[in-house]
Amino acid sequence: SNEAIVFRTNGAVVTPSLAEVETNRVQVEKDKGGISVSPVVFRDVISIGGCVEVKVTVRNNGKLARSLVDVKLLRANRHNEFQIRLDQALPTALPPGASASVALVCAPVHAGMVLNTLSLSFGTFSIGRFLEARCGDAELLDDLKPSSRYRKK
């Protein structure tokens, strides 16, 4: 894919390719600067036309105050499968020990996997979460799963 993702740090713009972001997944998702971000897991298959909300908790475990300055989805979101809902306007101040929450809503319009990347920017660094949701008819997907291990003959 030739999609690009843009990160802004200290005024400089870094534009890694989507492949580089996938390769550097661990670094993208790593908690930084005393900030921890809860994992994002859409556990069940989401039916077409359905809607599932997952809360993401952002906590300042450090000794310095931080500000959450931007929250966005990095990939094209053509059908608005993922939506971000914020309880507070940005920027959000996070003094030591404070938490904030971000709601992620997945509302698929087609069967299959829905993918995106959530970016939480704190000015000098950002923390990402890769979003993956299985969408479609849960019973049909259960019927299509393998009944035994594959053995090459």
Side-chain angles (χ1 to χ4, degrees):
S1 175
N2 59 1
E3 294 181 61
I5 296 174
V6 176
F7 293 95
R8 298 184 194 289
T9 58
N10 294 335
V13 176
V14 180
T15 312
S17 70
L18 194 53
E20 287 173 309
V21 170
E22 294 288 347
T23 302
N24 295 309
R25 183 177 184 134
V26 172
Q27 183 61 31
V28 170
E29 291 193 313
K30 182 178 177 182
D31 292 339
K32 302 170 189 83
I35 299 291
S36 64
V37 178
S38 63
V40 180
V41 179
F42 292 92
R43 295 190 189 283
D44 299 321
V45 175
I46 304 169
S47 60
I48 305 302
C51 183
V52 173
E53 181 176 296
V54 172
K55 288 277 187 185
V56 179
T57 302
V58 179
R59 182 166 179 75
N60 185 353
N61 299 313
K63 295 180 181 178
L64 299 175
R66 300 288 186 183
S67 290
L68 178 60
V69 296
D70 194 20
V71 177
K72 62 184 170 187
L73 297 169
L74 298 180
R75 297 180 188 218
N77 196 23
R78 292 180 190 97
H79 302 289
N80 292 321
E81 292 100 349
F82 288 107
Q83 298 168 17
I84 298 169
R85 295 188 184 151
L86 300 171
D87 294 337
Q88 304 173 26
L90 293 176
T92 298
L94 285 173
S99 295
S101 66
V102 175
L104 279 172
V105 177
C106 184
V109 296
H110 58 78
M113 290 295 292
V114 179
L115 307 169
N116 213 314
T117 307
L118 175 69
S119 175
L120 303 157
S121 177
F122 297 89
T124 58
F125 63 91
S126 31
I127 300 172
R129 290 293 179 260
F130 288 81
L131 311 177
E132 301 173 350
R134 290 180 56 199
C135 311
D137 182 338
E139 288 181 26
L140 178 62
L141 291 172
D142 193 50
D143 288 345
L144 293 174
K145 73 180 180 186
S147 58
S148 63
R149 256 183 88 141
Y150 173 76
R151 284 184 239 144
K152 189 175 180 180
K153 294 183 178 189

